[in-house]
Amino acid sequence: MTQQQYEECIKACLECMEACNVCFDACLEEDNVKMMADCIRLDRDCADLCGLAVKAMQTNSPAAKQILALCAEICERCGNECKKHDHDHCQKCAEACFKCAEVCRSTAA
Amino acid sequence: MTQQQYEECIKACLECMEACNVCFDACLEEDNVKMMADCIRLDRDCADLCGLAVKAMQTNSPAAKQILALCAEICERCGNECKKHDHDHCQKCAEACFKCAEVCRSTAA
Amino acid sequence: MTQQQYEECIKACLECMEACNVCFDACLEEDNVKMMADCIRLDRDCADLCGLAVKAMQTNSPAAKQILALCAEICERCGNECKKHDHDHCQKCAEACFKCAEVCRSTAA
Amino acid sequence: MTQQQYEECIKACLECMEACNVCFDACLEEDNVKMMADCIRLDRDCADLCGLAVKAMQTNSPAAKQILALCAEICERCGNECKKHDHDHCQKCAEACFKCAEVCRSTAA
């Protein structure tokens, strides 16, 4: 695949990475941080995976498709945790995660 | 600083990260890879630093400004190496590096 | 799993990460860098994956097992490329990669 | 510098990275997570910086010394936050951070 064919997927990963990092920061500012512990963990994992996926696509890594397949799974998991919480940042993050999971899956296929 | 105030700098770092990763890939496809060795090294370092800087800004890290100051230095160095080479990907990368160095420096100030 | 149960796997990943980074550096110093291009790419990917796996284990990430499964695949691939080359750093890297792949696979099981 | 001259510093960074990642995980399991918010943030930043420093040394990056200088600053900051908290994982992390800051500073000098 070329950089261009990866374009949509790179965009989805960057948006998901941003949503996860913003959610990580915002969760740590909430009154009830304890309730957000799993969200904080998964936000970190998911942001890091999205970053790795972007790097793999931008460098045309031979392992890109395998990394995208894993990225889709982690996004799915992060989205499922985030959607449990009413905070705006969590709901936005869940949306970005599910979108990213879908695009990663179809790009990896 | 808020996410919004970081917006221009996040954009510059993401563009520089992409240019460096694309240049890394393209250098490895050149006929004379040996000549590109320093460029390949610095592309990796610079892309990783830009990624770290983006994460620091998106999470409102207390260390963001220090990370941006270092990012500016690495971008400068990578740009200086890239601009020595006539390849399109190197010239584009140099431009993205110098732009990013400038924005990081002013944001860190 | 606990940090302690991950101990052997963390050790294998750290050794593989080091071997890959050292091999990346040494490949770029070889006379025939062009021949090493795939090795250089995979060294970067594999070192980064090992680093991610270590982070996942050290933080007890809920996604650790999935990350280890992918790490095993990338290590396998990097080992297969490295073992084609006679350089000491490539042979050592191949050995570290295959060892790491094995430990990651059994830890993820 | 050679890999060998970096040996002590790589070891200190790996120990600090582990202490920070373990502290990140343990802070998220504490009863009063809110009180640990800054510690959680800095543990993530510091672990990531230590990882970057290790990569820079293992690949003989031309930017290694600059990265070590920043790593020392972040370790110092993380250690100062951690030492405020009585939890064993925080005290251990503070110790690893201060040790790492010292070694990074002398290696970068």
Side-chain angles (χ1 to χ4, degrees), chain A residues 13-62:
Chain A
C13 286
L14 287 176
E15 283 169 5
C16 186
M17 182 178 82
E18 178 168 4
C20 288
N21 279 331
V22 168
C23 189
F24 175 91
D25 172 44
C27 284
L28 286 166
E29 299 297 318
E30 290 293 340
D31 287 333
N32 191 342
V33 186
K34 189 157 187 58
M35 203 177 64
M36 309 314 295
D38 285 345
C39 199
I40 291 166
R41 283 178 188 282
L42 282 160
D43 282 338
R44 182 182 179 186
D45 284 337
C46 192
D48 288 349
L49 240 313
C50 288
L52 190 77
V54 168
K55 178 158 57 177
M57 290 184 279
Q58 288 178 341
T59 58
N60 266 317
S61 160

Side-chain angles (χ1 to χ4, degrees), chain D residues 47-60:
Chain D
D48 288 348
L49 240 314
C50 287
L52 190 77
V54 168
K55 178 157 59 177
M57 289 184 279
Q58 290 179 339
T59 58
N60 266 317

Side-chain angles (χ1 to χ4, degrees), chain B residues 41-42 44-45 48-49 52 55-56 59-63 66-67 70 73-74 77, chain D residues 41-42 44-45 48-49 52 55-56 59-63 66-67 70 73-74 77:
Chain B
R41 284 178 186 282
L42 282 160
R44 181 182 180 186
D45 284 338
D48 288 348
L49 239 315
L52 191 76
K55 179 157 56 178
T59 58
N60 266 316
S61 160
Q66 290 163 297
I67 292 171
L70 176 62
E73 290 181 54
I74 310 295
R77 199 191 266 256
Chain D
R41 285 176 185 284
L42 281 160
R44 182 183 179 185
D45 284 338
D48 288 348
L49 240 314
L52 190 77
K55 178 157 59 177
T59 58
N60 266 317
S61 160
Q66 291 163 298
I67 292 172
L70 176 61
E73 290 182 53
I74 310 295
R77 198 191 268 255

Side-chain angles (χ1 to χ4, degrees), chain A residues 45 49 52 66-67 70-71 73-74 77, chain C residues 1-3 5-14 16 46 48-77 97-109:
Chain A
D45 284 337
L49 240 313
L52 190 77
Q66 291 163 296
I67 292 171
L70 176 62
C71 192
E73 289 181 53
I74 310 296
R77 199 191 266 255
Chain C
M1 283 184 100
T2 65
Q3 260 273 316
Q5 291 171 287
Y6 280 135
E7 205 180 327
E8 189 196 358
C9 194
I10 288 173
K11 193 168 168 285
C13 285
L14 288 176
C16 187
C46 192
D48 287 349
L49 240 313
C50 287
L52 190 76
V54 168
K55 178 158 57 177
M57 290 184 279
Q58 289 179 340
T59 58
N60 267 316
S61 160
K65 293 201 171 186
Q66 292 163 297
I67 291 171
L68 290 180
L70 176 62
C71 191
E73 290 182 52
I74 310 295
C75 287
E76 193 78 34
R77 199 191 267 257
C97 285
F98 291 136
K99 169 74 182 164
C100 188
E102 191 193 315
V103 180
C104 283
R105 235 183 317 261
S106 74
T107 307

